[in-house]
Amino acid sequence: MYCHYIRLNGSGIIVHGFSDAFEAPQPGDILIVEDGPRHFHEAFPDPLQNERGQFRFRWADGQIVERTQQELDAEWAQRPPAPPTLEERVKATEDLLLNILLGGG
Amino acid sequence: MPFQFNPPDGFKNKTAFPTTPASEDEFRAQMWAPFEQVRDYINQHLPTLDTPSMGLYRNAIINGNFDVWQRGTSFSNPMSGTYTADRWINLYDGTGQQHTISRQSFIPGQTDVPNNPSYFVRVSVTSAASGQTFNVLHQRIESVRTFAGKTVTISFWAKADAARTLAAKFFQNFGSGGSSVVGISGESFNLTTNWQKFSCTVTIPSISGKVIGPGDNLGVEFFFPVGETFVIDIAQVQLNEGNVALPYQPRSFAEELALCQRYFEKSYDINTAPGSTNINGMIQFNSGVPTINPIYIPVQFKVAKRIAPTVTLYDGAGAPGMVYKGGNGKTASLSRVGVSGFVGGTADSTNSSDLVFHYTADAEL
């Protein structure tokens, strides 16, 4: 039988779940199931990540708690803005040149 | 043994034919002699005719010829619970054991073990464990229904570095939430330094009244000497229905690999161990447009898996749990992992259009 562990980041979010059939636990990993099946998802079927690749669960008061959609959306909104595409950069350059040629500011 | 028919002198050998019978009884005896030979041959081989000629019950062991080693070909001090040759898991207890499990090659043309096998497995314990109660090489045959209520015979070839004992045992494991494990005693064999064929016949109990849960299996294991050093080699393992060991019947490599891939597959080349730095076979995608958004691509398995597997992604440097996005290792993300495939990639916000990774998918019992 196998043991199953979770790993947290500094914010208490579960960023990894695994069975000791596949890797050895590190200091700080939390044991959640003893004498379990071989595969982690057999012991904990819910995917740890959503479609956006965000981690869905946090560890709170010794329990696995699902993060709210609000929390996930707020985290998503904090992503850095996308750098301009090549087309956007050409357009910006054209606008700037046009502005200069027309004697604008 | 191939069929050989040797009629008594006189039936074919013209130098002694015709022979005038001395009596009617002697004439009858001469006429009956070849038929008796045929009768004896058939009677001696009747169990063979009763046993299956192909399929699961011809040999329920997968990779009994030790041809497939997708995870690597040598394992130094593997943790207990490590799969070595495909489908073969090493389990042991105790502390301080130093051991290696490796693929070894037969010399081409050797005749000690028949059928020209390519490989055998070597289990070498160079430093004995203390407090050890078991050290085994074990195969879990999917479904505890396998051979339930039937007589089976396990056969294999083995040798050792000195006189050693090796036992074969069986277990009916009823899976998670199922009935308690049922152990079935096999037999203990005396190995020498020469290759020998061993076999034993056991009856697998009925499963009537049992409760079966996920992960049920029939376990077959080789029980090595405990708490001592040894080198033991094993080849051509077979488990067939019936009370005789059938001649070992190797499968083609393609067949054996496909059977193994129901339980484990990888994107790496067949001879490249997972985690190696090797680009052959990598899953690669380029959207053509750099993006900070996640990039995912679907991957279809070569063979449908026993269950949704544990998938591990590797970047180009062989780091597990990582993929390359923009040529650098980024934390991997997985979704929609099923028996036929998965979606893999990364949610990393690096502005890049390309995604590259290797994978392994493990659905072992």
Side-chain angles (χ1 to χ4, degrees):
Chain A
M1 302 306 281
Y2 300 92
C3 294
H4 298 271
Y5 297 85
I6 55 172
R7 186 171 297 159
L8 312 181
N9 65 10
S11 304
I13 293 170
I14 299 170
V15 296
H16 189 37
F18 61 96
S19 151
D20 64 359
F22 293 89
E23 59 183 281
Q26 297 176 5
D29 289 344
I30 298 168
L31 175 68
I32 59 167
V33 175
E34 278 184 299
D35 293 332
R38 173 177 168 78
H39 299 273
F40 181 80
H41 64 76
E42 292 177 299
F44 190 80
D46 290 332
L48 294 183
Q49 291 173 289
N50 64 14
E51 296 285 318
R52 297 192 296 207
Q54 294 175 280
F55 295 106
R56 298 173 55 211
F57 302 96
R58 65 167 58 252
W59 184 249
D61 300 326
Q63 300 253 323
I64 296 175
V65 178
E66 186 163 10
R67 301 170 70 195
T68 65
Q69 192 59 46
Q70 274 185 323
E71 185 181 357
L72 293 169
D73 288 344
E75 181 186 77
W76 189 253
Q78 288 174 5
R79 291 165 60 86
T85 64
L86 185 61
E87 289 75 13
E88 289 169 337
R89 290 168 60 190
V90 169
K91 175 75 165 54
T93 305
E94 287 175 344
D95 289 348
L96 181 62
L97 283 173
L98 191 61
N99 202 20
I100 292 170
L101 289 172
L102 295 177
Chain B
M1 184 185 81
F3 177 63
Q4 290 181 328
F5 175 56
N6 299 307
D9 191 33
F11 283 84
K12 187 177 180 184
N13 183 354
K14 291 181 179 177
T15 60
F17 185 82
T19 301
T20 304
S23 65
E24 186 177 331
D25 286 346
E26 191 174 323
F27 173 74
R28 290 181 190 278
Q30 281 186 21
M31 294 300 290
W32 270 112
F35 295 109
E36 287 172 347
Q37 285 188 23
V38 172
R39 178 203 63 199
D40 291 345
Y41 177 85
I42 292 172
N43 287 342
Q44 286 168 16
H45 293 79
L46 207 53
T48 302
L49 302 177
D50 282 344
T51 50
S53 60
M54 60 184 295
L56 175 68
Y57 283 14
R58 178 63 176 79
N59 187 6
I61 298 290
I62 296 175
N63 202 24
N65 217 18
F66 298 101
D67 287 323
V68 186
W69 295 71
Q70 292 190 86
R71 297 169 178 85
T73 55
S74 184
F75 300 82
S76 180
N77 299 321
M79 290 191 310
S80 179
T82 298
Y83 274 87
T84 55
D86 273 56
R87 305 264 38 237
W88 291 100
I89 185 171
N90 178 218
L91 300 164
Y92 61 92
D93 64 356
T95 56
Q97 177 168 279
Q98 299 282 310
H99 71 302
T100 301
I101 298 175
S102 60
R103 186 181 76 180
Q104 303 288 321
S105 298
F106 279 105
I107 297 170
Q110 62 79 34
T111 54
D112 294 334
V113 179
N115 305 313
N116 291 300
S118 298
Y119 304 110
F120 57 93
V121 63
R122 169 165 292 171
V123 180
S124 173
V125 175
T126 54
S127 181
S130 60
Q132 189 169 68
T133 62
F134 65 93
N135 183 16
V136 303
L137 196 59
H138 186 111
Q139 180 159 144
R140 294 166 177 156
I141 299 168
E142 187 176 345
S143 177
V144 75
R145 292 175 169 84
T146 308
F147 294 129
K150 290 179 176 289
T151 298
V152 298
T153 299
I154 187 170
S155 59
F156 59 96
W157 289 77
K159 68 179 175 70
D161 58 333
R164 308 280 184 201
T165 57
L166 177 69
K169 296 185 177 184
F170 301 83
F171 296 90
Q172 285 179 307
N173 187 325
F174 291 88
S176 180
S179 299
S180 299
V181 172
V182 175
I184 306 136
S185 295
E187 199 170 308
S188 190
F189 305 96
N190 295 316
L191 276 52
T192 68
T193 55
N194 295 317
W195 283 109
Q196 296 178 85
K197 186 174 185 179
F198 300 95
S199 68
C200 78
T201 298
V202 299
T203 298
I204 306 298
S206 163
I207 56 172
S208 176
K210 300 292 187 182
V211 176
I212 299 174
D216 61 300
N217 63 83
L218 173 66
V220 180
E221 75 180 23
F222 291 110
F223 196 96
F224 297 106
V226 294
E228 62 180 87
T229 61
F230 64 83
V231 177
I232 288 179
D233 300 334
I234 301 171
Q236 293 193 344
V237 184
Q238 180 173 265
L239 181 67
N240 64 258
E241 184 185 356
N243 57 7
V244 294
L246 299 180
Y248 187 80
Q249 189 176 75
R251 302 183 186 101
S252 72
F253 183 80
E255 290 174 298
E256 203 76 67
L257 177 61
L259 292 174
C260 292
Q261 285 175 330
R262 175 169 170 78
Y263 306 93
F264 183 88
E265 73 166 63
K266 60 181 180 178
S267 56
Y268 294 90
D269 280 349
I270 191 67
N271 290 320
T272 303
S276 301
T277 304
N278 188 311
I279 63 172
N280 290 351
M282 286 188 101
I283 308 298
Q284 186 158 6
F285 171 73
N286 192 316
S287 67
V289 180
T291 178
I292 64 163
N293 289 319
I295 301 182
Y296 294 109
I297 52 175
V299 175
Q300 289 290 303
F301 294 134
K302 301 173 178 86
V303 173
K305 296 288 165 286
R306 179 185 68 86
I307 58 168
T310 296
V311 175
T312 303
L313 305 187
Y314 300 83
D315 66 17
M322 306 291 281
V323 299
Y324 270 175
K325 183 183 182 188
N328 294 302
K330 306 296 177 187
T331 301
S333 292
L334 286 164
S335 64
R336 302 178 191 181
V337 180
V339 297
S340 60
F342 67 93
V343 175
T346 180
D348 184 82
S349 58
T350 299
N351 190 45
S352 176
S353 60
D354 70 285
L355 174 70
V356 185
F357 60 82
H358 271 302
Y359 74 88
T360 59
D362 184 315
E364 278 289 0
L365 286 151

